[in-house]
Amino acid sequence: MRYKKLSNKKIVAWVEQNFEYKTRRDGEEYLINNPFDGDTGFHFNISPDKGICNDWRGNEWVGVNPKTGKRNKCSFLKFVQLYLNCSYTNALRAVLGATEDIGSYLRPRSQDDAIKSEEEPSLCLPDGSERLVDSKDVKVAKIIVNWLAQRGLSEEDIKLYDIHHRGLEGVWPYYEYDELVYWQSRSRINKMFMFPDSSVGVSKGDFLYGFDLIEPASYLTITEAIFDAHTLGDQTVASGGAALTKNQIKKIRLLGPKDGVVLAPDNDKAGVKSIFSNYKLLNSNNLKVYYSLPPEIEFTKNGERGVAKDWNELHTHVGMNHREILQSFENNIKAINQRELVRLRSEVSR
């Protein structure tokens, strides 16, 4: 099945509505000031026909594909997503307008998902949940915001991921095509986790946290925990456990990561062992597979010594900043082949 492509007219209309602009080559290219770096020289080029963008001074704004070390694809929708700090789906909706159906522009849900959505009870966030950014309980919300800041999340991150709270619990919604499909909560006090009641007919293994923020047909990074996904950021989802499920593989296929999948589990026995099973599942679906493990760095916290085992601990326990963690992640990426599998088996045994 082929999916509809954004028309030249829709791109032009959105650019003209949102930016001061110049044109060249008889309107084939639109020039705007790069909104990410205070540009005043109209260096940012948008090609409505091709649906791509380019800043002639460099495209740092779009980030780097960790697998290749090269700049990500500078697609127009990726630009809109970053500019509006929103999901891929909402970026598409912003350009198309409220009246046009976006379904034909997106990879469709699987048939199984369509049946589930009709048969299962509707899902809601737990009673009493409020968005952190506009919570009425300012004092309690501030405690959660400060906690998230300690884990490396900014207020912009909180808005982007639509994080809620219920008292001193953080609540993380899972969205697919702008529809709430699952949630997870964690207490600030005792690290207790909660999930939707089993009566709704779904479980954590049916979804990928961060699904709606992924640009399809690019690359994909998969972590175990939500905080690790926040730490690695762009093009990253959390599976909620070491081993991927068959339902999660279906979600990955919907995203179509043609540039490959990077497994980024915890650096412990369960995490390393999961690379074997996850590789088998992904490889059988004709996906290129890589992996990256967080480095084993010793730390001392509250008088106790330990070794960091996940990506978020590199920030909370070791004190690395976001750029340093991403650099470590990229430096440790390895393609999975038979030789690498043998080496990993020896690591597990050790």
Side-chain angles (χ1 to χ4, degrees):
M1 176 180 176
R2 298 187 65 182
Y3 306 99
K4 290 179 70 174
K5 182 181 176 182
L6 278 178
S7 69
N8 176 305
K9 290 183 179 179
K10 288 291 185 182
I11 293 176
V12 166
W14 189 86
V15 172
E16 292 185 349
Q17 182 179 357
N18 288 276
F19 294 97
E20 182 183 357
Y21 64 90
K22 297 179 181 179
T23 63
R24 68 176 189 175
R25 295 184 180 176
D26 296 324
E28 288 185 13
E29 297 176 358
Y30 274 64
L31 303 176
I32 66 171
N33 291 316
N34 189 328
F36 304 118
D37 64 6
D39 175 31
T40 58
F42 292 88
H43 293 102
F44 198 89
N45 183 303
I46 298 172
S47 171
D49 286 334
K50 297 178 181 178
I52 59 174
C53 308
N54 180 53
D55 188 320
W56 298 108
R57 303 165 303 160
N59 286 312
E60 287 76 11
W61 62 275
V62 79
V64 174
N65 182 327
K67 178 182 70 67
T68 63
K70 298 178 181 179
R71 295 292 172 202
N72 288 330
K73 181 175 65 175
C74 302
S75 72
F76 173 72
L77 277 173
K78 185 66 174 181
F79 164 67
V80 176
Q81 185 182 350
L82 293 173
Y83 176 68
L84 296 180
N85 193 39
C86 68
S87 70
Y88 183 84
T89 307
N90 283 339
L92 188 56
R93 193 183 304 281
V95 178
L96 290 173
T99 59
E100 187 164 351
D101 179 21
I102 68 171
S104 56
Y105 293 85
L106 293 166
R107 293 176 181 269
R109 290 176 178 269
S110 67
Q111 187 175 4
D112 290 344
D113 287 340
I115 293 172
K116 280 183 181 179
S117 64
E118 293 176 2
E119 294 180 349
E120 291 167 358
S122 59
L123 185 72
C124 299
L125 291 177
D127 290 343
S129 298
E130 292 184 277
R131 282 191 174 89
L132 275 171
V133 294
D134 50 20
S135 173
K136 294 177 183 176
D137 196 338
V138 177
K139 186 175 181 180
V140 172
K142 180 81 172 171
I143 294 173
I144 301 297
V145 169
N146 289 340
W147 170 50
L148 295 178
Q150 293 168 11
R151 304 300 295 256
L153 277 78
S154 67
E155 290 191 19
E156 287 301 309
D157 293 327
I158 291 171
K159 292 177 184 177
L160 177 62
Y161 290 97
D162 195 32
I163 300 175
H164 288 56
H165 82 107
R166 182 176 64 166
L168 287 174
E169 294 177 22
V171 181
W172 284 261
Y174 289 52
Y175 292 110
E176 285 184 6
Y177 308 106
D178 281 345
E179 179 184 341
L180 178 70
V181 293
Y182 201 69
W183 56 263
Q184 177 181 151
S185 75
R186 175 173 171 168
S187 171
R188 172 68 180 90
I189 300 172
N190 55 19
K191 297 185 179 180
M192 180 180 290
F193 292 86
M194 291 188 67
F195 308 92
D197 189 88
S198 58
S199 64
V200 299
V202 293
S203 67
K204 183 170 57 175
D206 292 327
F207 307 105
L208 294 168
Y209 177 80
F211 180 94
D212 257 11
L213 295 172
I214 302 302
E215 180 177 20
S218 181
Y219 72 92
L220 181 68
T221 300
I222 304 174
T223 66
E224 293 187 35
I226 287 177
F227 276 126
D228 297 319
H230 289 320
T231 300
L232 295 183
D234 196 39
Q235 293 295 113
T236 303
V237 296
S239 59
L244 294 170
T245 68
K246 291 184 178 179
N247 283 338
Q248 288 174 329
I249 295 295
K250 291 178 183 178
K251 306 298 183 184
I252 293 168
R253 290 177 61 187
L254 288 176
L255 294 172
K258 65 179 183 179
D259 292 334
V261 176
V262 184
L263 300 172
D266 295 352
N267 196 351
D268 55 20
K269 188 170 184 177
V272 176
K273 287 180 69 175
S274 73
I275 294 173
F276 299 100
S277 59
N278 292 340
Y279 167 73
K280 185 176 180 179
L281 285 171
L282 294 166
N283 188 54
S284 67
N285 282 274
N286 300 314
L287 292 166
K288 294 176 283 188
V289 191
Y290 306 80
Y291 80 94
S292 179
L293 292 171
E296 295 179 318
I297 301 177
E298 293 186 356
F299 63 85
T300 300
K301 187 172 183 180
N302 298 327
E304 295 186 7
R305 298 183 65 183
V307 177
K309 69 178 180 66
D310 65 45
W311 298 103
N312 190 244
E313 284 185 355
L314 293 178
H315 174 74
T316 59
H317 291 31
V318 179
M320 295 171 65
N321 62 38
H322 184 247
R323 183 183 296 275
E324 291 170 334
I325 295 172
L326 284 183
Q327 189 64 60
S328 177
F329 166 68
E330 293 166 11
N331 291 344
N332 286 320
I333 290 177
K334 297 178 178 67
I336 299 180
N337 49 39
Q338 288 306 311
R339 180 181 177 182
E340 198 60 34
L341 289 173
V342 169
R343 194 189 69 78
L344 285 170
R345 285 192 180 93
S346 68
E347 284 291 315
V348 172
S349 300
R350 183 175 64 85

